[in-house]
C-alpha cells in the first residue's frame, strides 16, 4: 500500500541490516545464548553447522558447473641424441638433460591429469578408460614416454603413424644476404637438420611469407611448393591415419558444403563412442607435431611452419571444443609450453650440438636450423 515512488527509491537490505533484523526478531534471549555459548557450537541457532561438526575436506575437484571437453596433448620428445637411434637402445636416444626433461614432464602430467574428471578411480588408480597414452615408435619418443608410463602406471600405445615425417629435407634454394646484393645457393639434400641441413619446417620464414597461401594450393602454386612437395605423400598419409585415429575416439572428420564447394574446415562430427572426458597424450616429434596441428586446425603448412616452433619436451594442448550436441572443433589453447622445466628448476634453453653451421651458407650469419636460432 506504499506509494509507488517510495518503492522505486527503496534499496535492498544489506546482509548486515538483514542480520540485525533477524536478531531483533528472535529476541535478546537468543542473542544472550549465542554470546555465552561454546565457540564450537556458535551459530547453530541460525541454522549453520557448528564449527566442531564442519568438514574441512576439500570439495570435489570437478564443480558441477564446469564443462569438460576432450583434450589432446601433443608432446615433443626430450632433448634428443639422434645418433642413439642406430643403437637400438631407447635410453641412448635422449641426452642426460633430455631424461631430466622427461621426468619433469611425467610429474606435470600426473598433476594435470588428476584435475581431469573421472581420471582416477575410487581406489586412487588411474582410469585407463579416461586417460590414453600414445607414443611414436622411435626411441627418443618412447624414452620420453616411459617416465609418464611409470608414474601413472599406464602403458602407452605405439602408433607408427606418429613417427617423424619422411621427405622432410628441403631442396636447393637461394638465400639472399642482409645487404640484398649477394646470395648463396644452398644444397642440403644430403644433410640432416642441425648438421648443415634444413627441414621443410626450418626454411627461413621470409621465403614462406612472400606469397599468401591456402591449404588447397600450397603444393603447387606457392613459391615454397618445392619445399613442401616432398612432404605431400607423408602429409596425406598423416591425414588418413589421423582421421582413423580420431574415428576410434568417436569423431568423424567432416567436409562442409556440397559438391565442388565442399571444403575441410577442421570440424568433427560426434559419433558413437565419443567420451568428452577423455584425455589423450601423444609423445611424438617436432615436425610431426606441427604438421598434425596444421591438419587439426585446418591451416596450410606454409603458414604453420614459419610461425610456430615446438621445443624439446614442450606440450601443445588442443581442446576439442563442443558448442553443440553434434560437432566439435579443435582449438589450440597452449602451444610449446615448457613451464614444467621451470617448475623443476631445469633450464629452458639448452645448446644443441646438432645445430652446426652450414658450410654452404657463406652469407648467412645464423647457424642452420630453427633450434639454434631459438637457443
Amino acid at each position: 500500500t506504499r506509494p509507488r515512488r517510495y518503492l522505486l527509491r527503496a534499496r535492498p537490505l544489506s546482509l548486515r541490516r538483514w542480520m540485525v533484523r533477524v536478531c531483533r526478531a528472535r529476541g535478546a534471549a537468543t542473542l544472550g545464548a549465542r554470546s555465552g555459548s561454546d565457540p564450537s557450537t556458535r551459530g547453530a541457532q541460525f541454522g549453520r553447522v557448528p564449527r566442531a561438526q564442519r568438514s574441512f575436506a576439500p570439495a570435489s575437484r570437478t564443480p558441477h558447473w564446469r564443462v569438460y571437453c576432450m583434450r589432446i596433448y601433443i608432446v615433443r620428445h626430450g632433448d634428443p641424441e639422434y645418433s642413439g637411434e642406430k643403437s637400438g637402445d631407447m635410453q641412448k636416444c635422449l641426452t642426460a638433460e633430455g631424461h631430466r626433461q622427461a621426468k619433469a614432464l611425467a610429474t606435470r602430467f600426473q598433476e594435470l591429469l588428476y584435475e581431469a574428471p573421472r581420471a582416477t578411480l575410487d581406489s586412487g588408480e588411474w582410469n585407463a578408460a579416461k586417460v590414453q597414452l600414445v607414443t611414436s615408435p622411435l626411441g627418443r619418443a618412447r624414452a620420453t614416454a616411459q617416465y609418464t608410463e611409470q608414474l601413472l602406471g599406464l602403458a602407452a600405445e605405439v602408433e607408427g603413424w606418429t613417427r617423424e615425417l619422411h621427405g622432410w629435407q628441403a631442396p636447393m634454394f637461394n638465400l639472399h644476404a642482409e645487404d640484398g646484393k649477394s646470395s648463396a645457393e644452398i644444397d642440403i639434400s644430403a644433410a640432416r637438420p642441425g648438421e648443415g641441413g634444413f627441414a621443410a619446417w626450418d626454411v627461413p620464414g621470409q621465403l614462406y611469407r612472400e606469397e599468401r597461401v591456402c591449404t588447397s594450393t600450397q603444393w603447387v602454386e606457392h613459391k615454397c611448393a618445392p619445399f613442401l612437395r616432398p612432404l605431400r605423400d607423408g602429409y596425406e598419409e598423416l591425414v588418413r591415419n589421423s582421421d582413423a585415429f580420431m574415428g576410434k575416439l568417436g569423431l568423424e572428420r567432416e567436409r562442409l558444403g556440397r559438391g565442388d564447394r565442399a571444403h575441410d574446415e577442421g570440424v568433427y562430427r560426434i559419433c558413437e563412442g565419443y567420451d568428452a572426458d577423455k584425455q589423450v597424450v601423444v609423445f611424438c616429434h617436432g615436425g610431426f607435431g606441427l604438421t598434425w596441428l596444421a591438419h587439426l586446425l585446418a591451416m596450410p603448412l606454409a603458414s604453420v611452419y614459419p610461425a610456430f616452433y615446438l621445443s624439446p619436451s614442450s606440450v601443445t594442448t588442443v581442446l576439442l571444443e563442443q558448442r553443440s550436441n553434434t560437432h566439435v572443433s579443435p582449438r589450440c589453447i597452449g602451444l610449446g609450453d615448457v613451464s614444467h622445466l621451470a617448475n623443476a628448476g631445469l633450464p629452458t634453453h639448452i645448446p644443441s650440438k646438432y645445430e652446426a653451421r652450414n658450410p654452404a651458407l657463406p652469407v648467412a650469419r645464423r647457424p642452420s636450423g630453427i633450434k639454434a636460432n631459438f637457443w
Side-chain angles (χ1 to χ4, degrees):
T1 61
R2 294 182 178 180
R4 180 175 176 83
R5 63 180 181 274
Y6 179 83
L7 295 176
L8 292 175
R9 289 183 295 176
R11 292 179 297 175
L13 292 176
S14 65
L15 178 61
R16 183 174 181 276
R17 293 172 63 194
W18 179 81
M19 289 296 297
V20 169
R21 291 194 179 188
V22 171
C23 292
R24 288 175 179 174
R26 296 195 176 188
T30 304
L31 292 176
R34 177 181 182 276
S35 60
S37 62
D38 183 4
S40 63
T41 61
R42 187 172 299 169
Q45 66 272 18
F46 295 106
R48 298 196 298 269
V49 178
R51 185 176 182 83
Q53 302 177 13
R54 295 181 191 175
S55 174
F56 290 93
S60 171
R61 62 177 182 269
T62 309
H64 70 280
W65 46 264
R66 188 170 182 179
V67 179
Y68 276 86
C69 296
M70 182 184 290
R71 286 171 171 80
I72 297 177
Y73 299 96
I74 302 175
V75 184
R76 187 186 174 187
H77 54 76
D79 190 51
E81 183 63 75
Y82 291 111
S83 60
E85 297 285 351
K86 300 178 182 179
S87 67
D89 184 1
M90 69 178 185
Q91 304 300 334
K92 298 180 180 180
C93 296
L94 294 180
T95 63
E97 193 66 32
H99 282 283
R100 287 189 285 269
Q101 291 175 345
K103 293 178 182 179
L105 197 59
T107 303
R108 171 178 184 164
F109 279 116
Q110 184 186 39
E111 300 173 354
L112 181 66
L113 297 178
Y114 185 77
E115 298 297 328
R118 293 177 288 281
T120 56
L121 302 173
D122 295 337
S123 61
E125 298 179 352
W126 291 97
N127 187 353
K130 302 295 182 180
V131 179
Q132 180 178 358
L133 304 182
V134 177
T135 179
S136 159
L138 297 184
R140 52 190 184 273
R142 298 189 66 180
T144 304
Q146 66 178 336
Y147 297 101
T148 303
E149 292 180 84
Q150 295 169 4
L151 199 57
L152 301 188
L154 299 174
E157 304 173 14
V158 179
E159 292 280 354
W161 67 277
T162 62
R163 64 186 301 131
E164 190 61 290
L165 302 182
H166 57 83
W168 48 261
Q169 294 161 319
M172 185 181 298
F173 62 90
N174 291 326
L175 181 67
H176 294 279
E178 295 181 1
D179 57 11
K181 297 179 180 179
S182 58
S183 63
E185 192 176 65
I186 305 168
D187 185 3
I188 44 72
S189 57
R192 293 174 57 86
E195 297 176 348
F198 280 84
W201 46 86
D202 290 346
V203 171
Q206 66 266 29
L207 298 180
Y208 274 119
R209 292 173 176 165
E210 288 182 358
E211 297 180 7
R212 301 185 65 178
V213 64
C214 63
T215 305
S216 59
T217 62
Q218 64 181 348
W219 307 113
V220 291
E221 297 181 10
H222 192 267
K223 179 179 179 180
C224 289
F227 310 148
L228 300 175
R229 200 172 294 123
L231 289 172
R232 185 168 186 172
D233 292 340
Y235 175 78
E236 293 177 349
E237 181 182 0
L238 181 151
V239 168
R240 291 191 297 269
N241 290 320
S242 172
D243 293 347
F245 178 76
M246 299 297 284
K248 296 177 183 178
L249 300 177
L251 296 172
E252 181 181 351
R253 188 85 168 195
E254 231 180 33
R255 293 176 63 85
L256 303 180
R258 298 180 179 178
D260 296 338
R261 295 188 177 182
H263 58 284
D264 185 0
E265 289 293 344
V267 176
Y268 291 87
R269 182 167 57 87
I270 298 176
C271 303
E272 183 179 358
Y274 173 70
D275 186 354
D277 296 336
K278 196 160 191 174
Q279 312 291 301
V280 183
V281 184
V282 181
F283 296 89
C284 53
H285 309 268
F288 170 86
L290 287 178
T291 308
W292 191 27
L293 185 66
H295 172 59
L296 291 175
L297 304 182
M299 297 177 63
L301 297 180
S303 296
V304 173
Y305 283 169
F308 305 118
Y309 172 63
L310 307 182
S311 61
S313 84
S314 64
V315 179
T316 297
T317 306
V318 178
L319 174 72
L320 297 177
E321 187 177 40
Q322 183 177 349
R323 298 292 186 92
S324 69
N325 295 327
T326 58
H327 292 83
V328 300
S329 59
R331 180 187 293 270
C332 182
I333 58 175
L335 190 139
D337 183 17
V338 291
S339 58
H340 52 280
L341 300 182
N343 293 337
L346 298 175
T348 57
H349 300 105
I350 306 171
S352 174
K353 68 178 183 179
Y354 286 98
E355 294 305 320
R357 183 176 295 276
N358 192 323
L361 295 179
V363 298
R365 296 183 179 179
R366 293 184 177 181
S368 66
I370 201 72
K371 185 190 298 184
N373 296 339
F374 179 76
W375 299 139

